[in-house]
Amino acid sequence: CSRPGFPLCNLSALFPIQSQLDDALDNATNQQEKENLVYQYLKKLDDKDDLRIPDFDEGLEWLNTEGPLSFTRELAGKVVVLDFFTYCCINCIHILPDLHQLEKKHSVKDGLVIVGVHSAKFPNEKVLQNVQSAVLRYNITHPVVNDGDARLWHELEVACWPTLVLIGPKGNLLFSLVGEGHRERLALFTNTSLRHYRDQVLLSDHLVGTKLYRDSLPPSLLSFPGKVAVDSSRKRLAIADTGHHRVLVVSSIGLVLYSIGGPESGRKDGNLDEATFCSPQGIVIKGDTVFVADTENHLIRKIDLLEGQVSTLAGVGFQGTDMEGGAMGPQQPISSPWDLALGTAGGEEDNMLWVAMAGTHQIWALFLENGKLPKRSESKAGTCVRFAGSGNEENRNNAYPQKAGFAQPSGLAPAPEEPWGCLYVADSESSTVRSLALKDGAVKLLVGGERDPLNLFAFGDVDGKGVDAKLQHPLDVAWAPDQGLLYVADSYNHKIKVVDPKTRQCLVVAGTGEAGDVLGPGLTESSFNEPGGLCVGEGGRVLYVADTNNHHLKVLDLDTKTVSLFPISLEDAVDSAPTKSSGPCKVPKLPKSASRVKMPPLAVSPGQTVNLELVLSLPEGTKLTEDAPSFWTLSAEGNEWLVGNQVVTGDIQNLSQPLSIPAILPKVLKATEASPSLTLSVWVYCCLAGGGACMMKAASFTQPLQIGSTPRNGSVTVTLAHAF
């Protein structure tokens, strides 16, 4: 060691001793034998005075504490677990549940303190504000020190992320664990050490002053939104509100139509008002179906808005290590799915989901219907299988998909049209964007990185062509088919960039390169903070950006070259943190001038579909206003269970033909005092065809239901007509 008085204070002095213990533990046959081996090991270490480690440097920035910690003061008399991590690293994220489990079992008063030693990989990760955001995002409540220059890392000769180092009550090295997947051995080492030093009366029960960073912040409507997706046909957005563990579906004007999950994390299927998620990231919306990468539950979930149900399509609820797959989804363990995209492989259109499996550094396929991957046998609906990536964390391009290597793929964008015919991948840890050919699985570099497949440090912020362009931990990509352009969330550069796949030229579109939350006046004068998701809307004229660390959804208008906040209106939550909704979202209030039509009772059965055929006529000489979207809402006041405890809504874009709105009745009825009714309300914005005056018209239709007792299939149609 470089410090006088500490002749052997790094991990190289510990390795020869611990390797003997590790070998013995591998051959041990029961828990008692393992504990005895660790006891003997600790007694051997007690006779050594040369394994004390250097203290933390003075002047470092600390989080979740009242002040700096020291092995000679606050940490004296404690067993300390040092977690050397960097917040971009998926493997570091994977061990956080192990640490949370330890914290639940052993308190500071019991003698255990966990300290996160943040040792940055990327320059952006050295900034305290960004480390603070990561501490919030991953719900880290133990002390964290921002060792931006990795001084302790180098002095202890730590080699990779994550590394856990256990320290004894005298500041002496005890054990080290490299990488993830050591939960049992970490628990064994910690439990035995606490008992051993308690028996020797070397533990202290004093508290370590804590001050959680999260307690100093005001609540926000969104919390670290990860990804955003658009359904252009319905003019709806789906938002992964990651920090609140929920999914929002909002209208084009920001009205929250569905809020599913949150505010606490969980893992539960079922009705929309009881389902829970854990840090969802990737999201896809098509019609009334939302697919969700439930990242920290290691699941892929499906939200059926019509049926009002959440179900699990793949994953078993804990991190898997399988790198091949092939089982049916609910039996197939998976690892940290980070993004999803609909795709077509040897079957009907959109018959499968592409999955960015960040935890195993691979691209997987989940078949929604029967299909076939290139050069593979047919896969049945429900099959979840690896398509590309060896599982090694590399920047390796290869004509054979299983031999290619990814490094924490985090964003997907299909470009199935010719001449592209590929899936674009934001490969965050290699700081590249790659292409995966849909016809044969060949993996190629588009931009970023460098040619050495083992160099994952080729990052920067440089516009350029191909490998000469440099990115820093990009987390998402979005394809604009009409323009043939690919947009990139260059997350750690706080920028949005665009790539022309024909020339492989990469240029900045928006962002200053510094973390901030400034709107305009232009795109490159606007600032972001680690944007993690984006999607293309309105035919490529608009980008929706999940500005993750600013807790905002932003809109980039590529025609006017401006950035604006996307307004989100959530009942009772505009100025407060969201709470679990016990009831439905509110229906917008109809104006007093609205026409109100009450229909005669309609005989229906449980399980049937009521098709509401809406026929509207505008005042003569007027047309729908394009810039003010007309819309409808379907509700059941007092009997919200009829519509899954949600406000169902949609846009009105064309009145030349009837608009069909299906309402599927539950198969199981709830007791109700009066005959329930469905209410369809419409808001129509129209202008004189020749220009000039514009107006808003509204109407509502109340349809009483006489529901029989015997469930039936099929549908019943009723026409709701009105002339404004």
Side-chain angles (χ1 to χ4, degrees):
C1 177
S2 60
R3 294 189 180 186
F6 295 96
L8 288 171
C9 60
N10 57 42
L11 295 180
S12 61
L14 186 67
F15 286 152
I17 311 170
Q18 187 180 332
S19 61
Q20 298 175 23
L21 171 65
D22 290 334
D23 290 342
L25 288 173
D26 290 339
N27 295 318
T29 57
N30 58 64
Q31 187 66 19
Q32 187 60 54
E33 184 181 355
K34 293 178 181 179
E35 291 179 5
N36 290 338
L37 287 168
V38 177
Y39 272 124
Q40 296 304 315
Y41 171 84
L42 289 171
K43 289 178 181 178
K44 185 187 301 183
L45 291 189
D46 288 343
D47 297 331
K48 289 181 170 290
D49 292 324
D50 54 4
L51 290 178
R52 288 179 297 158
I53 70 167
D55 212 337
F56 298 103
D57 282 356
E58 294 184 3
L60 294 179
E61 300 156 322
W62 286 81
L63 296 171
N64 292 339
T65 68
E66 294 177 347
L69 303 183
S70 166
F71 288 112
T72 60
R73 300 189 308 270
E74 296 83 2
L75 301 178
K78 302 291 186 183
V79 171
V80 180
V81 177
L82 298 179
D83 172 23
F84 288 88
F85 77 109
T86 184
Y87 70 79
C88 69
C89 167
I90 191 68
N91 312 91
C92 299
I93 296 170
H94 284 164
I95 70 168
L96 288 176
D98 301 349
L99 300 180
H100 290 325
Q101 190 177 71
L102 268 189
E103 289 174 302
K104 286 182 179 179
K105 185 174 182 180
H106 304 292
S107 68
V108 174
K109 195 173 179 65
D110 293 334
L112 176 69
V113 179
I114 297 174
V115 177
V117 186
H118 191 266
S119 311
K121 170 183 176 179
F122 293 99
N124 180 68
E125 293 179 309
K126 297 181 180 182
V127 180
L128 177 63
Q129 179 186 6
N130 299 333
V131 180
Q132 289 172 330
S133 294
V135 165
L136 290 174
R137 189 160 64 243
Y138 299 123
N139 194 31
I140 298 173
T141 56
H142 53 252
V144 172
V145 60
N146 182 22
D147 190 7
D149 294 326
R151 291 286 297 275
L152 191 58
W153 165 290
H154 291 303
E155 288 187 303
L156 289 183
E157 297 184 0
V158 176
C160 68
W161 300 280
T163 293
L164 298 176
V165 179
L166 274 73
I167 308 298
K170 295 181 179 180
N172 51 307
L173 282 172
L174 299 180
F175 310 94
S176 73
L177 294 165
V178 178
E180 58 176 296
H182 303 297
R183 174 178 288 192
E184 290 185 4
R185 194 153 292 187
L186 173 63
L188 172 67
F189 288 168
T190 305
N191 298 342
T192 310
S193 297
L194 288 171
R195 284 198 298 269
H196 174 71
Y197 290 113
R198 189 178 297 115
D199 292 343
Q200 293 191 9
V201 199
L202 289 176
L203 291 185
S204 169
D205 64 357
H206 70 270
L207 298 177
V208 175
T210 58
K211 184 179 179 181
L212 295 185
Y213 176 64
R214 69 185 183 193
D215 293 341
S216 65
L217 298 175
S220 59
L221 180 59
L222 297 178
S223 176
F224 301 104
K227 304 288 185 185
V228 58
V230 64
D231 180 2
S232 299
S233 64
R234 301 282 188 94
K235 293 194 174 180
R236 297 193 294 190
L237 293 172
I239 304 165
D241 189 10
T242 308
H244 287 142
H245 310 289
R246 67 177 178 177
V247 172
L248 299 180
V249 178
V250 303
S251 72
S252 59
I253 57 174
L255 174 67
V256 174
L257 312 175
Y258 300 89
S259 176
I260 307 121
E264 303 301 326
S265 63
R267 178 169 64 91
K268 186 176 182 181
D269 288 338
N271 295 332
L272 299 187
D273 59 353
E274 63 183 15
T276 53
F277 302 87
C278 187
S279 298
Q281 285 282 348
I283 198 161
V284 172
I285 181 169
K286 182 181 181 183
D288 291 305
T289 302
V290 182
F291 299 102
V292 182
D294 192 6
T295 304
E296 293 193 19
N297 275 329
H298 309 285
L299 300 173
I300 298 170
R301 315 282 289 282
K302 175 185 175 182
I303 303 173
D304 189 321
L305 299 177
L306 275 181
E307 293 283 350
Q309 292 289 311
V310 176
S311 57
T312 295
L313 298 183
V316 294
F318 55 83
Q319 182 192 348
T321 57
D322 183 3
M323 295 187 181
E324 295 292 335
M328 299 304 285
Q331 287 79 48
Q332 177 61 59
I334 60 177
S335 179
S336 297
W338 209 271
D339 200 15
L340 303 173
L342 278 169
T344 304
E348 298 178 1
E349 183 179 1
D350 293 342
N351 67 332
M352 48 85 71
L353 283 171
W354 296 113
V355 184
M357 205 70 77
T360 55
H361 314 292
Q362 295 172 315
I363 306 299
W364 283 47
L366 171 61
F367 283 90
L368 306 173
E369 303 292 343
N370 293 347
K372 184 178 181 297
L373 291 171
K375 301 180 180 179
R376 303 277 192 92
S377 57
E378 184 167 319
S379 295
K380 293 183 178 180
T383 304
C384 189
V385 64
R386 182 268 303 257
F387 177 48
S390 64
N392 296 324
E393 189 174 7
E394 298 175 331
N395 176 23
R396 187 178 300 278
N397 301 299
N398 200 290
Y400 297 95
Q402 290 85 0
K403 293 184 178 181
F406 294 93
Q408 208 169 306
S410 302
L412 301 174
E417 310 89 354
E418 292 299 334
W420 321 113
C422 69
L423 178 70
Y424 290 112
V425 180
D427 198 40
S428 60
E429 280 292 273
S430 67
S431 295
T432 64
V433 175
R434 324 270 284 282
S435 68
L436 176 60
L438 298 177
K439 65 177 181 180
D440 57 14
V443 178
K444 297 179 180 179
L445 173 72
L446 185 63
V447 293
E450 70 146 72
R451 292 180 176 85
D452 179 358
L454 300 181
N455 183 2
L456 301 182
F457 289 80
F459 51 80
D461 184 9
V462 180
D463 288 353
K465 179 180 179 181
V467 74
D468 294 329
K470 290 293 179 280
L471 308 169
Q472 189 181 175
H473 200 76
L475 285 173
D476 208 3
V477 281
W479 177 243
D482 294 343
Q483 293 77 21
L485 296 174
L486 184 73
Y487 292 94
V488 183
D490 191 4
S491 305
Y492 283 8
N493 283 325
H494 316 290
K495 288 182 175 181
I496 305 301
K497 296 183 177 179
V498 64
V499 179
D500 182 345
K502 286 184 178 179
T503 62
R504 298 174 67 210
Q505 192 74 29
C506 179
L507 301 170
V508 64
V509 172
T512 63
E514 298 292 331
D517 194 14
V518 176
L519 300 175
L523 294 177
T524 53
E525 291 81 36
S526 299
S527 55
F528 306 87
N529 193 340
E530 294 189 12
L534 78 169
C535 65
V536 174
E538 298 186 21
R541 298 190 302 274
V542 163
L543 294 179
Y544 296 99
V545 177
D547 194 6
T548 304
N549 284 2
N550 282 327
H551 315 293
H552 289 315
L553 186 63
K554 291 180 177 175
V555 184
L556 276 63
D557 190 315
L558 301 176
D559 288 341
T560 62
K561 308 288 193 246
T562 57
V563 179
S564 61
L565 289 181
F566 182 81
I568 298 177
S569 175
L570 181 67
E571 176 193 358
D572 297 329
V574 175
D575 296 313
S576 63
T579 56
K580 187 75 175 182
S581 174
S582 58
C585 300
K586 284 183 178 177
V587 179
K589 191 173 182 180
L590 282 168
K592 291 182 179 179
S593 60
S595 301
R596 289 169 169 81
V597 181
K598 186 164 184 178
M599 304 294 292
L602 181 68
V604 293
S605 299
Q608 282 191 317
T609 299
V610 179
N611 286 320
L612 304 174
E613 294 282 346
L614 182 62
V615 180
L616 299 176
S617 301
L618 294 178
E620 188 175 353
T622 65
K623 63 177 183 178
L624 287 176
T625 306
E626 292 183 5
D627 295 332
S630 302
F631 63 99
W632 57 264
T633 65
L634 180 65
S635 60
E637 187 174 354
N639 292 283
E640 285 81 6
W641 53 272
L642 276 173
V643 289
N645 286 326
Q646 298 289 339
V647 175
V648 183
T649 187
D651 294 312
I652 300 174
Q653 303 177 38
N654 182 8
L655 295 179
S656 63
Q657 54 189 7
L659 180 64
S660 181
I661 300 165
I664 302 175
L665 300 180
K667 294 180 179 179
V668 179
L669 299 182
K670 292 189 177 182
T672 178
E673 294 181 4
S675 297
S677 297
L678 294 172
T679 300
L680 183 70
S681 302
V682 296
W683 286 258
V684 175
Y685 297 86
C686 55
C687 291
L688 294 174
C694 294
M695 63 201 84
M696 188 274 286
K697 300 288 185 179
S700 73
F701 303 86
T702 300
Q703 178 61 68
L705 302 177
Q706 293 179 341
I707 305 179
S709 58
T710 304
R712 293 181 181 174
N713 296 321
S715 62
V716 178
T717 300
V718 60
T719 300
L720 308 177
H722 181 70
F724 291 110

